[in-house]
């Protein structure tokens, strides 16, 4: 069986993309180990066979699936005998809601904090592309974003509040055991850890950092095993 995951790569073999971590962790949850193929920002042609240019892209024999949510649904439907990512249709709908929160809440709040750091760890040939696309997206320079880091960190606090509250109620977002909702949220923290030498959580964030430690330990320390900054261990 050929199982290949195309994912973003930065310098020192860093794998920062939160979307790709969603897929990696979903595969691990299903007990599947893909061959991970690195794709630089300027190498989107490598995944053009999928009909679009973003990663992650999963190839499972003759099936090609792009988009992290589509990959999670594909894995759930194709490997029903393996542990469930969603725990039924209601769980799938709730996971989709968490997906939207991760995309439009957490990731929106983290992007201006992390963009300057991603630029710093991008491979040299990707840096111009990354700067141009992100500055166009934000309407300001990476240096202007970096200068307002403290303001963006303050704004992150309330975005994390639903996660903080939920994690006072059970060890994982999805209950006693982790599932796709946890991977959606954790993938954003893994993004931060992969690129940023300063923790996005303050030292008094004990609930969130305890959960993050548990997530790093999952699957034999899968997320811990890659190049990252130890500040967010
Ligand atoms: N909705 C997609 C978004 C995928 C996405 O935006 N991936 C980023 C990973 S870095 C990407 O490929 N961006 C292309 C670019 O920045 O040029 C998903 O959930 O997989």
């Amino acid at each position: 069986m050929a199982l290949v995951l195309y994912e973003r790569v930065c310098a020192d073999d860093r794998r920062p993309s939160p979307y790709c971590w969603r897929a990696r962790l979903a595969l691990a949850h299903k007990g599947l180990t893909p061959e991970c193929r690195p794709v630089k920002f300027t190498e989107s042609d490598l995944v053009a066979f999928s009909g679009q240019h973003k990663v992650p892209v999963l190839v499972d024999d003759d099936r090609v699936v792009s988009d992290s949510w589509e990959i999670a649904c594909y894995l759930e439907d194709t490997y029903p005998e393996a542990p469930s990512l969603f725990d039924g249709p209601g769980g799938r709908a709730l996971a989709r809601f968490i997906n939207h929160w991760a995309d439009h809440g957490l990731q929106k709040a983290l992007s201006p904090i992390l963009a300057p750091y991603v630029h710093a760890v991008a491979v040299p040939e990707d840096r111009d592309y990354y700067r141009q696309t992100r500055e166009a997206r934000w309407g300001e320079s990476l240096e202007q974003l970096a200068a307002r880091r403290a303001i963006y960190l303050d704004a992150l606090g309330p975005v994390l509040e639903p996660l903080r509250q939920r994690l006072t109620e059970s060890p994982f977002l999805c209950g006693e055991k982790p599932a796709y909702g946890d991977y959606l949220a954790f993938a954003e923290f893994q993004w931060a850890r992969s690129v940023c030498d300063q923790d996005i959580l303050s030292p008094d964030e004990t609930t969130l950092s305890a959960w993050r430690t548990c997530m790093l330990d999952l699957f034999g320390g899968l997320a811990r095993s890659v190049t990252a900054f130890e500040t967010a261990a």
Side-chain angles (χ1 to χ4, degrees):
M1 185 185 79
L3 194 60
V4 179
L5 182 69
Y6 289 82
E7 63 179 14
R8 182 68 69 233
V9 69
C10 282
D12 307 322
D13 204 32
R14 286 172 202 278
R15 307 292 166 110
S17 167
Y19 301 109
C20 298
W21 276 102
R22 294 174 188 179
R24 269 243 214 164
L25 292 161
L27 283 155
H29 186 98
K30 288 287 183 187
L32 298 167
T33 310
E35 177 204 334
C36 293
R37 290 199 189 151
V39 181
K40 296 174 194 165
F41 281 102
T42 49
E43 287 181 334
S44 58
D45 284 357
L46 289 179
V47 294
F49 67 87
S50 67
Q52 50 90 62
H53 64 277
K54 293 183 175 179
V55 287
V57 172
L58 180 71
V59 180
D60 186 3
D61 280 332
D62 58 349
R63 306 283 297 274
V64 177
V65 190
S66 57
D67 187 275
S68 56
W69 177 253
E70 294 303 324
I71 291 171
C73 292
Y74 168 80
L75 293 173
E76 184 75 344
D77 298 338
T78 309
Y79 299 96
E81 69 289 351
S84 175
L85 287 164
F86 303 131
D87 199 18
R92 188 182 299 226
L94 284 175
R96 186 61 173 153
F97 175 79
I98 298 170
N99 196 145
H100 290 312
W101 169 75
D103 284 353
H104 302 287
L106 188 48
Q107 193 171 124
K108 276 258 153 47
L110 276 174
S111 293
I113 300 169
L114 297 183
Y117 293 91
V118 177
H119 181 256
V121 301
V123 292
E125 58 268 43
D126 279 356
R127 286 196 189 139
D128 285 349
Y129 168 84
Y130 188 81
R131 175 181 286 280
Q132 278 162 20
T133 53
R134 271 45 182 190
E135 291 186 347
R137 184 177 298 171
W138 287 96
E140 50 193 342
S141 72
L142 294 178
E143 288 71 22
Q144 286 170 315
L145 294 178
R148 280 207 297 282
R149 183 174 196 275
I151 295 168
Y152 291 125
L153 272 174
D154 278 351
L156 177 64
V159 177
L160 289 171
E161 190 57 26
L163 183 61
R164 213 179 268 123
Q165 291 293 329
R166 176 65 190 129
L167 291 171
T168 62
E169 297 165 350
S170 67
F172 295 99
L173 183 45
C174 295
E176 293 304 309
K177 291 184 297 188
Y180 196 63
D182 290 276
Y183 309 144
L184 284 163
F186 172 72
E188 305 296 322
F189 288 86
Q190 181 70 351
W191 176 31
R193 200 177 156 268
S194 301
V195 300
C196 185
D197 60 357
Q198 294 171 59
D199 198 351
I200 52 164
L201 293 179
S202 61
D204 60 347
E205 288 275 20
T206 49
T207 305
L208 286 173
S209 63
W211 166 80
R212 183 175 59 181
T213 300
C214 292
M215 298 301 293
L216 284 164
D217 289 340
L218 290 178
F219 313 121
L222 173 64
R224 216 188 268 293
S225 69
V226 296
T227 311
F229 289 100
E230 294 308 316
T231 41

